[in-house]
Coordinates of all heavy atoms in Angstrom, one line a residue:
M1 N 94.4 -5.1 -3.0 CA 95.5 -5.7 -2.4 C 95.2 -7.2 -2.4 O 94.1 -7.7 -2.1 CB 95.6 -5.2 -1.0 CG 96.6 -6.0 -0.1 SD 98.3 -5.8 -0.6 CE 98.5 -4.0 -0.5
Q2 N 96.2 -8.0 -2.9 CA 96.0 -9.5 -2.8 C 97.2 -10.1 -2.3 O 98.3 -9.7 -2.5 CB 95.6 -10.0 -4.2 CG 96.7 -10.0 -5.2 CD 96.4 -10.8 -6.5 OE1 95.6 -11.7 -6.4 NE2 96.9 -10.3 -7.6
T3 N 97.0 -11.2 -1.5 CA 98.0 -12.1 -1.0 C 98.0 -13.3 -1.8 O 96.9 -13.9 -2.0 CB 97.8 -12.4 0.5 OG1 97.7 -11.1 1.2 CG2 98.8 -13.3 1.1
F4 N 99.1 -13.7 -2.4 CA 99.2 -14.9 -3.2 C 100.6 -15.6 -3.1 O 101.5 -15.0 -2.6 CB 99.0 -14.5 -4.7 CG 100.0 -13.6 -5.3 CD1 101.1 -14.1 -6.0 CD2 100.0 -12.2 -5.0 CE1 102.1 -13.3 -6.5 CE2 101.0 -11.4 -5.5 CZ 102.1 -11.9 -6.2
Y5 N 100.6 -16.8 -3.6 CA 101.8 -17.6 -3.6 C 102.5 -17.4 -4.9 O 101.9 -17.6 -6.0 CB 101.5 -19.1 -3.3 CG 102.7 -19.9 -3.2 CD1 103.6 -19.9 -2.1 CD2 103.1 -20.8 -4.3 CE1 104.7 -20.7 -2.0 CE2 104.2 -21.6 -4.2 CZ 105.0 -21.5 -3.1 OH 106.1 -22.3 -3.0
S6 N 103.8 -17.2 -4.9 CA 104.6 -17.1 -6.1 C 105.4 -18.4 -6.4 O 106.3 -18.7 -5.6 CB 105.6 -15.9 -6.0 OG 106.5 -15.9 -7.1
E7 N 105.0 -19.1 -7.4 CA 105.7 -20.3 -7.7 C 107.2 -20.0 -8.1 O 108.1 -20.8 -7.9 CB 105.0 -21.0 -8.9 CG 103.6 -21.4 -8.6 CD 103.6 -22.9 -8.2 OE1 104.5 -23.6 -8.5 OE2 102.6 -23.3 -7.6
R8 N 107.4 -18.8 -8.7 CA 108.8 -18.5 -9.1 C 109.8 -18.5 -8.0 O 110.9 -19.1 -8.2 CB 108.8 -17.1 -9.8 CG 110.1 -16.8 -10.4 CD 110.3 -15.4 -10.9 NE 109.2 -14.8 -11.6 CZ 109.2 -13.6 -12.0 NH1 110.2 -12.8 -11.9 NH2 108.2 -13.1 -12.7
D9 N 109.5 -18.0 -6.9 CA 110.5 -18.0 -5.8 C 110.0 -18.7 -4.5 O 110.7 -18.7 -3.5 CB 111.0 -16.6 -5.5 CG 109.9 -15.6 -5.0 OD1 108.7 -16.1 -4.8 OD2 110.1 -14.5 -4.8
G10 N 108.8 -19.3 -4.6 CA 108.3 -20.0 -3.4 C 108.0 -19.2 -2.2 O 108.0 -19.7 -1.1
R11 N 107.6 -17.9 -2.4 CA 107.2 -17.0 -1.3 C 105.8 -16.5 -1.5 O 105.3 -16.5 -2.5 CB 108.2 -15.9 -1.2 CG 109.6 -16.3 -1.0 CD 110.6 -15.2 -0.7 NE 110.4 -14.8 0.7 CZ 110.8 -13.7 1.2 NH1 111.5 -12.8 0.4 NH2 110.6 -13.3 2.4
W12 N 105.2 -16.1 -0.3 CA 103.9 -15.5 -0.3 C 104.1 -14.0 -0.5 O 105.0 -13.4 0.2 CB 103.2 -15.8 1.0 CG 102.7 -17.3 1.0 CD1 103.4 -18.3 1.5 CD2 101.5 -17.8 0.5 NE1 102.7 -19.5 1.4 CE2 101.5 -19.2 0.8 CE3 100.4 -17.2 -0.1 CZ2 100.5 -20.0 0.4 CZ3 99.3 -18.0 -0.4 CH2 99.4 -19.4 -0.2
K13 N 103.3 -13.4 -1.3 CA 103.5 -12.0 -1.6 C 102.2 -11.2 -1.5 O 101.1 -11.7 -1.6 CB 104.1 -11.8 -3.0 CG 105.4 -12.5 -3.2 CD 106.0 -12.2 -4.5 CE 107.4 -12.8 -4.5 NZ 108.2 -12.4 -5.7
N14 N 102.3 -9.9 -1.3 CA 101.2 -8.9 -1.3 C 101.5 -8.0 -2.4 O 102.6 -7.4 -2.6 CB 101.2 -8.2 0.1 CG 100.7 -9.1 1.2 OD1 99.6 -9.6 1.1 ND2 101.6 -9.3 2.1
Q15 N 100.4 -7.7 -3.2 CA 100.5 -6.8 -4.3 C 99.3 -6.0 -4.5 O 98.2 -6.5 -4.4 CB 100.7 -7.7 -5.6 CG 101.0 -6.8 -6.8 CD 101.4 -7.7 -8.0 OE1 101.3 -8.9 -8.0 NE2 101.9 -7.1 -9.0
V16 N 99.5 -4.7 -4.7 CA 98.4 -3.8 -4.9 C 97.9 -4.0 -6.3 O 98.8 -4.1 -7.2 CB 98.8 -2.3 -4.6 CG1 97.7 -1.4 -5.0 CG2 99.2 -2.1 -3.2
E17 N 96.6 -4.0 -6.5 CA 96.1 -4.2 -7.9 C 96.6 -3.1 -8.8 O 96.6 -1.9 -8.4 CB 94.5 -4.1 -7.8 CG 93.9 -4.5 -9.1 CD 92.4 -4.5 -9.0 OE1 91.8 -4.8 -7.9 OE2 91.7 -4.3 -10.1
G18 N 97.1 -3.4 -10.0 CA 97.6 -2.5 -10.9 C 99.1 -2.3 -10.8 O 99.7 -1.8 -11.8
N19 N 99.7 -2.7 -9.7 CA 101.2 -2.6 -9.6 C 101.8 -3.8 -10.2 O 101.3 -4.9 -10.2 CB 101.6 -2.5 -8.1 CG 101.3 -1.2 -7.5 OD1 100.8 -0.3 -8.2 ND2 101.7 -1.0 -6.3
K20 N 103.0 -3.6 -10.8 CA 103.8 -4.7 -11.4 C 104.6 -5.5 -10.4 O 104.8 -6.7 -10.6 CB 104.7 -4.2 -12.5 CG 103.9 -3.6 -13.7 CD 104.9 -3.2 -14.7 CE 104.1 -2.6 -15.9 NZ 104.9 -2.2 -17.0
R21 N 105.0 -4.9 -9.3 CA 105.8 -5.5 -8.3 C 105.1 -5.7 -7.0 O 104.2 -4.9 -6.7 CB 107.1 -4.7 -8.1 CG 107.9 -4.5 -9.4 CD 109.2 -3.9 -9.1 NE 110.1 -4.8 -8.5 CZ 111.2 -4.5 -7.8 NH1 111.5 -3.2 -7.8 NH2 111.9 -5.4 -7.2
A22 N 105.5 -6.7 -6.2 CA 104.9 -7.0 -4.9 C 105.3 -5.9 -3.9 O 106.4 -5.4 -4.0 CB 105.3 -8.3 -4.4
S23 N 104.4 -5.6 -3.0 CA 104.6 -4.6 -1.9 C 105.5 -5.2 -0.8 O 106.2 -4.5 -0.1 CB 103.3 -4.1 -1.3 OG 102.6 -3.4 -2.3
S24 N 105.3 -6.5 -0.6 CA 106.0 -7.3 0.4 C 106.0 -8.7 0.1 O 105.2 -9.2 -0.7 CB 105.4 -7.0 1.8 OG 104.1 -7.6 1.8
A25 N 107.0 -9.5 0.7 CA 107.1 -10.9 0.5 C 107.4 -11.6 1.9 O 108.1 -11.0 2.7 CB 108.2 -11.2 -0.5
S26 N 106.8 -12.8 2.1 CA 107.0 -13.5 3.3 C 107.3 -15.0 3.0 O 106.8 -15.5 2.0 CB 105.8 -13.3 4.2 OG 105.5 -12.0 4.5
D27 N 107.8 -15.6 4.0 CA 108.1 -17.1 3.9 C 106.8 -17.9 4.2 O 106.7 -19.0 3.7 CB 109.2 -17.5 4.8 CG 110.6 -17.0 4.3 OD1 110.8 -16.9 3.1 OD2 111.4 -16.7 5.1
T28 N 105.9 -17.3 5.0 CA 104.7 -18.1 5.3 C 103.4 -17.3 4.9 O 103.5 -16.1 4.8 CB 104.6 -18.4 6.8 OG1 104.4 -17.1 7.5 CG2 105.8 -19.1 7.4
K29 N 102.4 -18.0 4.7 CA 101.1 -17.4 4.3 C 100.6 -16.6 5.5 O 100.1 -15.5 5.2 CB 100.1 -18.5 4.0 CG 98.8 -18.0 3.5 CD 97.8 -19.1 3.1 CE 96.5 -18.5 2.5 NZ 95.6 -19.6 2.1
A30 N 100.7 -17.0 6.7 CA 100.2 -16.3 7.9 C 100.9 -14.9 8.0 O 100.2 -13.9 8.2 CB 100.4 -17.1 9.1
E31 N 102.2 -14.9 7.8 CA 102.9 -13.6 7.8 C 102.4 -12.7 6.7 O 102.2 -11.5 6.9 CB 104.4 -13.8 7.7 CG 105.1 -14.5 8.8 CD 106.6 -14.8 8.5 OE1 107.0 -14.5 7.4 OE2 107.2 -15.4 9.4
A32 N 102.3 -13.2 5.5 CA 101.9 -12.4 4.3 C 100.5 -11.9 4.5 O 100.2 -10.7 4.2 CB 102.0 -13.2 3.1
Q33 N 99.6 -12.7 5.1 CA 98.2 -12.3 5.3 C 98.2 -11.1 6.3 O 97.4 -10.2 6.2 CB 97.3 -13.4 5.9 CG 96.8 -14.3 4.8 CD 95.8 -15.3 5.4 OE1 96.3 -16.4 5.8 NE2 94.6 -15.0 5.5
R34 N 98.9 -11.3 7.4 CA 99.0 -10.2 8.4 C 99.4 -8.9 7.8 O 98.8 -7.8 8.0 CB 100.0 -10.6 9.5 CG 99.4 -10.6 10.9 CD 100.4 -10.9 12.0 NE 101.6 -11.7 11.7 CZ 101.7 -13.0 11.7 NH1 100.6 -13.7 12.0 NH2 102.8 -13.6 11.4
E35 N 100.5 -8.9 7.0 CA 101.0 -7.7 6.3 C 100.0 -7.2 5.3 O 99.8 -6.0 5.2 CB 102.4 -8.0 5.7 CG 103.0 -6.8 5.0 CD 103.4 -5.7 5.9 OE1 103.3 -5.8 7.1 OE2 103.7 -4.6 5.3
G36 N 99.4 -8.1 4.5 CA 98.4 -7.7 3.5 C 97.2 -7.0 4.2 O 96.7 -6.1 3.6
R37 N 96.8 -7.6 5.3 CA 95.6 -7.0 6.0 C 96.0 -5.5 6.5 O 95.2 -4.6 6.3 CB 95.3 -7.8 7.2 CG 94.1 -7.4 8.0 CD 93.6 -8.3 9.1 NE 94.6 -9.2 9.7 CZ 94.8 -10.5 9.4 NH1 94.0 -11.1 8.5 NH2 95.7 -11.2 10.0
R38 N 97.2 -5.4 7.0 CA 97.7 -4.1 7.5 C 97.7 -3.1 6.3 O 97.2 -1.9 6.4 CB 99.0 -4.2 8.1 CG 99.5 -2.8 8.7 CD 100.9 -2.9 9.2 NE 101.9 -3.0 8.1 CZ 102.2 -2.0 7.3 NH1 101.7 -0.8 7.4 NH2 103.1 -2.2 6.3
L39 N 98.3 -3.5 5.2 CA 98.4 -2.7 4.0 C 97.0 -2.3 3.4 O 96.8 -1.1 3.1 CB 99.2 -3.4 2.9 CG 100.7 -3.5 3.2 CD1 101.3 -4.5 2.2 CD2 101.4 -2.2 3.2
A40 N 96.1 -3.3 3.4 CA 94.8 -3.0 2.9 C 94.0 -2.0 3.8 O 93.3 -1.1 3.3 CB 94.0 -4.3 2.8
K41 N 94.1 -2.2 5.1 CA 93.5 -1.3 6.1 C 94.0 0.1 5.9 O 93.3 1.1 5.9 CB 93.7 -1.7 7.5 CG 92.8 -2.9 7.9 CD 93.0 -3.3 9.3 CE 92.1 -4.5 9.7 NZ 92.3 -4.9 11.1
D42 N 95.4 0.3 5.8 CA 96.0 1.6 5.6 C 95.5 2.3 4.3 O 95.4 3.5 4.3 CB 97.5 1.4 5.6 CG 98.2 1.1 6.9 OD1 97.4 1.1 7.9 OD2 99.4 0.8 6.9
R43 N 95.3 1.5 3.3 CA 94.9 2.1 2.0 C 93.4 2.2 1.8 O 92.9 2.8 0.9 CB 95.5 1.2 0.9 CG 97.0 1.4 0.7 CD 97.5 0.4 -0.3 NE 98.9 0.6 -0.6 CZ 99.9 0.3 0.1 NH1 99.7 -0.3 1.3 NH2 101.2 0.5 -0.3
G44 N 92.6 1.5 2.7 CA 91.2 1.5 2.6 C 90.7 0.7 1.4 O 89.8 1.2 0.7
V45 N 91.3 -0.4 1.2 CA 90.9 -1.2 0.0 C 90.5 -2.6 0.4 O 90.6 -3.0 1.6 CB 92.1 -1.3 -1.0 CG1 92.4 0.1 -1.5 CG2 93.3 -2.0 -0.4
T46 N 90.1 -3.4 -0.6 CA 89.7 -4.8 -0.3 C 91.0 -5.7 -0.3 O 91.9 -5.5 -1.1 CB 88.8 -5.3 -1.4 OG1 87.6 -4.5 -1.4 CG2 88.4 -6.8 -1.2
H47 N 91.0 -6.7 0.6 CA 92.1 -7.6 0.7 C 91.6 -9.0 0.2 O 90.7 -9.5 0.8 CB 92.6 -7.7 2.1 CG 93.8 -8.6 2.3 ND1 94.0 -9.2 3.5 CD2 94.8 -8.9 1.5 CE1 95.1 -10.0 3.4 NE2 95.6 -9.8 2.2
V48 N 92.2 -9.5 -0.8 CA 91.9 -10.8 -1.4 C 93.0 -11.7 -1.0 O 94.2 -11.5 -1.3 CB 91.7 -10.7 -2.9 CG1 91.5 -12.1 -3.5 CG2 90.6 -9.8 -3.3
V49 N 92.7 -12.8 -0.3 CA 93.7 -13.8 0.0 C 93.5 -15.1 -0.9 O 92.3 -15.6 -0.9 CB 93.5 -14.3 1.5 CG1 94.6 -15.3 1.9 CG2 93.7 -13.0 2.4
R50 N 94.5 -15.5 -1.6 CA 94.4 -16.6 -2.5 C 95.0 -17.8 -1.9 O 96.0 -17.8 -1.1 CB 95.1 -16.3 -3.8 CG 94.4 -15.1 -4.5 CD 94.9 -15.0 -5.9 NE 94.1 -13.9 -6.6 CZ 93.0 -14.1 -7.2 NH1 92.5 -15.3 -7.3 NH2 92.4 -13.1 -7.8
K51 N 94.5 -19.0 -2.3 CA 95.1 -20.3 -1.9 C 96.4 -20.5 -2.7 O 96.7 -19.7 -3.7 CB 94.2 -21.4 -2.2 CG 92.9 -21.4 -1.4 CD 92.0 -22.5 -1.9 CE 90.7 -22.5 -1.2 NZ 89.8 -23.6 -1.7
K52 N 97.2 -21.5 -2.4 CA 98.4 -21.7 -3.1 C 98.2 -22.0 -4.6 O 99.0 -21.6 -5.4 CB 99.1 -22.9 -2.5 CG 100.6 -23.0 -2.7 CD 101.3 -24.0 -1.9 CE 102.8 -24.0 -2.1 NZ 103.5 -24.9 -1.2
D53 N 97.0 -22.6 -4.9 CA 96.7 -22.9 -6.3 C 96.1 -21.7 -7.1 O 95.7 -21.8 -8.2 CB 95.7 -24.1 -6.4 CG 94.3 -23.8 -5.8 OD1 94.0 -22.7 -5.4 OD2 93.6 -24.8 -5.7
G54 N 95.9 -20.5 -6.4 CA 95.4 -19.3 -7.0 C 94.0 -19.0 -6.8 O 93.5 -17.9 -7.1
E55 N 93.2 -20.0 -6.3 CA 91.8 -19.7 -6.0 C 91.6 -18.7 -4.9 O 92.4 -18.7 -4.0 CB 91.1 -21.0 -5.7 CG 90.8 -21.9 -6.8 CD 90.0 -23.1 -6.4 OE1 88.9 -22.9 -5.7 OE2 90.3 -24.2 -6.8
I56 N 90.5 -18.0 -4.9 CA 90.3 -17.0 -3.8 C 89.8 -17.8 -2.6 O 88.9 -18.6 -2.7 CB 89.2 -16.0 -4.2 CG1 89.8 -15.1 -5.3 CG2 88.8 -15.2 -3.0 CD1 88.8 -14.1 -5.9
A57 N 90.5 -17.6 -1.5 CA 90.1 -18.2 -0.2 C 89.3 -17.3 0.7 O 88.3 -17.8 1.3 CB 91.4 -18.7 0.5
E58 N 89.7 -16.0 0.7 CA 89.0 -15.0 1.6 C 89.0 -13.7 0.9 O 89.9 -13.4 0.1 CB 89.7 -14.9 2.9 CG 89.9 -16.1 3.7 CD 90.8 -15.9 4.9 OE1 90.7 -14.8 5.5 OE2 91.5 -16.8 5.3
T59 N 88.0 -12.9 1.2 CA 88.0 -11.5 0.8 C 87.5 -10.6 2.0 O 86.5 -11.0 2.6 CB 87.0 -11.3 -0.4 OG1 87.4 -12.2 -1.5 CG2 87.0 -9.9 -0.9
H60 N 88.2 -9.5 2.2 CA 87.9 -8.6 3.3 C 87.9 -7.2 2.8 O 88.9 -6.8 2.2 CB 88.9 -8.8 4.5 CG 89.0 -10.2 5.0 ND1 88.1 -10.7 5.8 CD2 89.9 -11.1 4.7 CE1 88.5 -11.9 6.1 NE2 89.6 -12.2 5.4
D61 N 86.8 -6.5 3.0 CA 86.7 -5.1 2.5 C 87.0 -4.1 3.7 O 86.3 -4.1 4.7 CB 85.3 -4.9 2.0 CG 85.1 -3.5 1.3 OD1 86.1 -2.9 1.1 OD2 84.0 -3.2 1.0
Y62 N 88.0 -3.3 3.4 CA 88.4 -2.3 4.4 C 88.1 -0.9 3.9 O 88.7 0.1 4.4 CB 89.8 -2.4 4.8 CG 90.1 -3.8 5.4 CD1 90.9 -4.7 4.8 CD2 89.6 -4.1 6.7 CE1 91.1 -6.0 5.3 CE2 89.9 -5.4 7.3 CZ 90.6 -6.3 6.6 OH 90.9 -7.5 7.1
S63 N 87.2 -0.7 3.0 CA 87.0 0.6 2.4 C 86.0 1.4 3.3 O 85.3 0.9 4.1 CB 86.4 0.5 1.0 OG 85.3 -0.3 0.9

């Protein structure tokens, strides 16, 4: 699961690794991180949070 910024539509998104589409989208990074954390915990996977420029800011393992 990763939380990242989409330049295309200017929104923060959460996407499961391997999926083509985002699982959720938010207007703020904080909202997207909260939702991404919840989704990662539910799935028992790692949550990667990226900065607006795409660099990894945080990684949390919920496996």
Side-chain angles (χ1 to χ4, degrees):
M1 172 68 60
Q2 69 172 330
T3 299
F4 66 96
Y5 183 75
S6 172
E7 297 262 342
R8 186 189 316 179
D9 62 6
R11 298 188 79 197
W12 288 90
K13 299 185 176 188
N14 289 298
Q15 186 171 11
V16 176
E17 188 174 333
N19 286 2
K20 292 182 180 182
R21 300 186 73 197
S23 301
S24 66
S26 303
D27 291 326
T28 68
K29 184 177 182 180
E31 290 172 2
Q33 274 186 270
R34 238 185 333 271
E35 179 65 7
R37 183 172 30 257
R38 185 189 67 76
L39 291 168
K41 284 181 178 180
D42 287 351
R43 290 171 170 77
V45 298
T46 298
H47 181 210
V48 176
V49 180
R50 297 191 177 273
K51 297 178 186 178
K52 202 170 185 177
D53 66 5
E55 285 188 46
I56 294 175
E58 302 173 36
T59 303
H60 305 279
D61 186 12
Y62 299 110
S63 56

